[in-house]
Amino acid sequence: MEKEYQFKEIMSKPERLAPGHRMCAGCGGTVTVRAVLRALHEEDKAVIGNATGCLEVSTFMYPYTAYEDSYIHNAFENAGATLSGVETAYRVLKKKGKITDNYKFITFGGDGGTYDIGLQSLSGAMERGHDMVYVCYDNGAYMNTGTQRSSATPQFADTTTTPAGKVSAGKIQIRKDLAAIMAEHHIPYVAQTTFNANFRDIHEKAEKAIYTPGAAFLNVLSPCPRGWGYDASDLMKICKLATDTCYWPMFEVVEGKWKLTYEPRKKKPIEEFLRPQKRFAHLFKPGNEELIEQFQKEVDRRWEELCNKCN
Amino acid sequence: MAIRERLSGNEAVAYAIKQINPDVMPAFPITPSTEIPQYVATYIANGEIDTEFIHVESEHSAMSATLGASAAGARALTATSSCGLALMWEELYVAASDRLPIVLALVNRALTGPININADHSDSMGARDAGWIQIYAESNQEVYDNFLQAFPIAEHKDVHLPVMICQDGFITSHGVENILLVEDDKAKEFVGEYEPEHFLLNSKEPMAVGPYAVSNYYMETKKAQREAMQNAKKVILEMAEKFEKMTGRKYGFFEEYRMEDAEYAIVIIGSAAGTCKAAVDKIRETTGKKVGLVKIRVFRPFPEEELAAVLKNMKAVAVMDRSEMFSATSGPLGAEVRAAMYQAKADTEVVCYFYGLGGRDITVEDFEQVYDNLEEMAKTHEVKGMYDYIGLREK
């Protein structure tokens, strides 16, 4: 971006998601929303969209809204289509001179609303190239309904529909790579990020996503203390481990060009990410070493694949 | 002077859309409504209208995007049929509870199972409880006229409800008829400019749409929708009166055909009313029997009292449904009419029949048989063949 990232300045911008909402302590979702909305230039107005999920039921409980901007929730599977209607209305009304202000369009969905039930609606909105940003706050399961597996749930995670048991080691399948799917839509901007250190990565990506004309997609790892089983105060630590083990690589795809935005100095073993989370506790029982090895192999394979794309 | 044309029902709706020049139209093709978005896309391609078309990837997204556009402050509409409407189901309820003045051009077609592309009312009748105003047409002229009245009804401050303008697939949607079109300037003046009061893109006042409403609030939203639906009765008649002043064509909740002195009546919706009228004329001419027809135009809100007032003095009434609801007692129209008659303490035999499912033809002779049955029922005070299918294959 043109201007050097200034942590203090950025963090002291007025919040566009007001306090008083009902999200859990230690939830990554709200941190994602606040970080993304901070990238909006103060003079710009916005319409915020939202798929049904924790975020929606906790931030817009009638008669209170936590959003300083206009906001629309429609249903679970159609955040992409809904915001594309809003964005199109804006273009028409602006052309007709009925609106003079500048508006930006950002919609949030969890991985359930994005990877799964809302994938078609998202794909349609991206393919049509609406000038909007779809932000997936990926917490790796259907958390709003009580931690059921999604296609974003990592392999072996203990969820309420893939419980670890006497003859089960949690989720059988590996996770879907949504950022790659979105990149294959050949939209101008796709990025994967999370919050680490000074929030620079997510801030800059959100700003690029919002201010790049056309469709943009952000995939943000947004841990869930209840679903993952970590201490609420460890949110930042978990995100750091996700990036340092290369479980959650941070990269961007600008006009089809893949670029890593973070490379750990020394890639940490995946156990360090898995160990603090209750959803992986069963992997650390004697005899399950092989499962961790398998997990590590998958992380390595994907990291290598990504590095190849970025070279 | 009105413009004389020959148009199919789909062309007539598309022409009305052109005259209205709405802001946003998301749509997904489905037979037999596909032509409507095709015509609109052509108007756009030739620079004849300012409408933005959204090429959505499904009907669910069509209604979702229409809803988003409408909430944003745009005049928005879509078109669909059958399974397309079924895929929108969830969104129909959201649109109504969000109180968005969306218009849907519905070309009635049977719901799949087995797949069938022809006319019946199972699509819109299934959506009858979604909170939408539903207005049906017998002819191309009527669907055009209804369409011009749709936005003024939907956007009225006492209503704020979505409106479904229904016509029978292929029968009117593809059948070409003579039609009188309203001049452009008059049509535009009648529909008026859309000036939303509350909308997402109002820079003076941010707005939040689609809340999570717990049990403390949910019931009141339903009450508000119900009041709006009650208000719609008044507004529908006001718009019909205004429309009559402009065109001379009269509309109400329903049309009474030769009902002045009628003793036997059929109640029906849609294009089959035309065939039924032919039967009424033939019977009156050849036998002098006092038969008549009530054709429902407005099914939601349901004109219960008004309808019962017309039917309660009949000797017998047949209510004919073009959609099943598998209650094993009647179809949706049958259930409503019988309830209305009960409420009016009418002592009239009422029989419910089904006809025309999946596009099955119904003939003048079929209707003659129905009137014969009514006469028999009035004599014997015995309702025979309740919920029979008319025109069923013998073998």
Side-chain angles (χ1 to χ4, degrees), chain B residues 182-255:
Chain B
V182 179
E183 299 92 312
D184 275 8
D185 53 337
K186 278 193 188 167
K188 280 185 204 328
E189 196 193 321
F190 179 82
V191 177
E193 192 71 16
Y194 179 41
E195 305 285 355
E197 199 181 343
H198 302 288
F199 55 108
L200 294 170
L201 297 172
N202 180 357
S203 62
K204 292 178 200 78
E205 173 203 63
M207 180 195 185
V209 176
Y212 173 43
V214 294
S215 32
N216 286 353
Y217 296 104
Y218 185 87
M219 213 158 163
E220 284 69 24
T221 64
K222 297 302 123 184
K223 171 82 184 328
Q225 283 177 250
R226 192 173 79 177
E227 279 172 4
M229 198 54 99
Q230 282 160 339
N231 295 343
K233 285 183 78 172
K234 175 179 67 77
V235 174
I236 287 166
L237 293 181
E238 276 171 19
M239 290 306 158
E241 204 185 321
K242 208 176 140 193
F243 193 81
E244 189 189 351
K245 276 188 190 140
M246 177 171 70
T247 63
R249 294 191 288 278
K250 191 176 171 61
Y251 290 101
F253 296 133
F254 45 81
E255 180 193 343

Side-chain angles (χ1 to χ4, degrees), chain B residues 137-155:
Chain B
E138 174 190 337
S139 64
N140 302 0
Q141 183 71 62
E142 286 184 10
V143 71
Y144 170 77
D145 291 351
N146 289 344
F147 208 90
L148 286 180
Q149 293 171 59
F151 278 113
I153 295 167
E155 292 163 1

Side-chain angles (χ1 to χ4, degrees), chain A:
Chain A
M1 298 268 86
E2 300 142 25
K3 212 173 140 197
E4 189 59 26
Y5 178 78
Q6 297 288 343
F7 178 72
K8 273 190 185 168
E9 190 188 313
I10 296 300
M11 289 298 154
S12 48
K13 285 176 76 171
E15 292 282 352
R16 297 177 88 138
L17 178 74
H21 58 73
R22 292 159 167 86
M23 297 285 269
C24 304
C27 162
T30 29
V31 180
T32 297
V33 175
R34 288 166 59 214
V36 170
L37 296 185
R38 239 178 251 130
L40 273 165
H41 299 166
E42 279 178 57
E43 66 276 17
D44 287 332
K45 295 184 185 301
V47 178
I48 313 301
N50 202 175
T52 308
C54 292
L55 181 65
E56 181 265 327
V57 300
S58 307
T59 56
F60 183 23
M61 233 176 146
Y62 187 83
Y64 305 107
T65 173
Y67 297 89
E68 299 291 346
D69 295 285
S70 275
Y71 168 93
I72 182 166
H73 157 256
N74 183 346
F76 194 5
E77 71 282 52
N78 58 1
T82 303
L83 208 69
S84 59
V86 177
E87 186 265 354
T88 306
Y90 170 67
R91 277 187 285 119
V92 183
L93 298 177
K94 191 129 197 196
K95 198 166 68 186
K96 288 187 173 175
K98 289 188 173 179
I99 293 172
T100 48
D101 292 277
N102 283 330
Y103 276 87
K104 294 291 166 188
F105 303 92
I106 306 166
T107 196
F108 296 95
D111 47 290
T114 310
Y115 282 67
D116 291 345
I117 197 168
L119 183 63
Q120 173 185 316
S121 171
L122 164 64
S123 174
M126 296 290 107
E127 183 269 335
R128 292 190 298 272
H130 295 278
D131 191 6
M132 60 180 268
V133 186
Y134 191 111
V135 183
C136 176
Y137 70 102
D138 180 346
N139 50 29
Y142 303 144
M143 299 310 186
N144 191 38
T145 42
T147 322
Q148 293 81 33
R149 70 86 90 178
S150 76
S151 62
T153 303
Q155 193 177 24
F156 304 132
D158 177 20
T159 75
T160 55
T161 48
T162 60
K166 282 178 190 155
V167 293
S168 158
K171 190 193 176 194
I172 296 167
Q173 301 83 0
I174 54 170
R175 59 196 305 281
K176 187 190 278 181
D177 188 349
L178 186 61
I181 295 169
M182 288 300 113
E184 290 301 327
H185 282 65
H186 298 278
I187 52 177
Y189 191 77
V190 173
Q192 183 162 293
T193 183
T194 188
F195 13 98
N196 67 345
N198 64 356
F199 283 70
R200 182 196 183 113
D201 195 86
I202 189 170
H203 180 82
E204 291 184 349
K205 284 173 179 168
E207 193 176 13
K208 279 187 202 173
I210 296 166
Y211 290 96
T212 299
F217 177 80
L218 285 182
N219 202 19
V220 188
L221 185 75
S222 310
C224 168
R226 292 183 53 80
W228 294 20
Y230 62 85
D231 194 83
S233 59
D234 286 342
L235 174 63
M236 294 299 284
K237 203 165 89 188
I238 293 282
C239 289
K240 176 89 178 124
L241 287 168
T243 54
D244 284 351
T245 55
C246 299
Y247 167 77
W248 191 263
M250 301 203 289
F251 58 87
E252 61 184 6
V253 189
V254 185
E255 297 292 348
K257 238 181 117 50
W258 291 67
K259 190 187 149 201
L260 278 178
T261 57
Y262 177 75
E263 269 183 275
R265 271 193 208 100
K266 192 177 174 298
K267 189 177 163 194
K268 289 186 170 161
I270 196 64
E271 287 100 304
E272 295 195 27
F273 172 66
L274 302 177
R275 196 181 296 274
Q277 303 181 46
K278 282 204 189 82
R279 63 177 173 160
F280 296 116
H282 57 291
L283 298 185
F284 293 92
K285 283 185 184 155
N288 282 343
E289 296 79 4
E290 198 192 315
L291 300 179
I292 295 177
E293 267 171 49
Q294 207 179 317
F295 202 116
Q296 182 68 60
K297 267 189 196 152
E298 182 59 20
V299 169
D300 293 346
R301 187 183 69 79
R302 289 195 178 200
W303 175 247
E304 199 186 318
E305 204 179 283
L306 178 65
C307 289
N308 286 337
K309 280 182 186 166
C310 293
N311 283 333

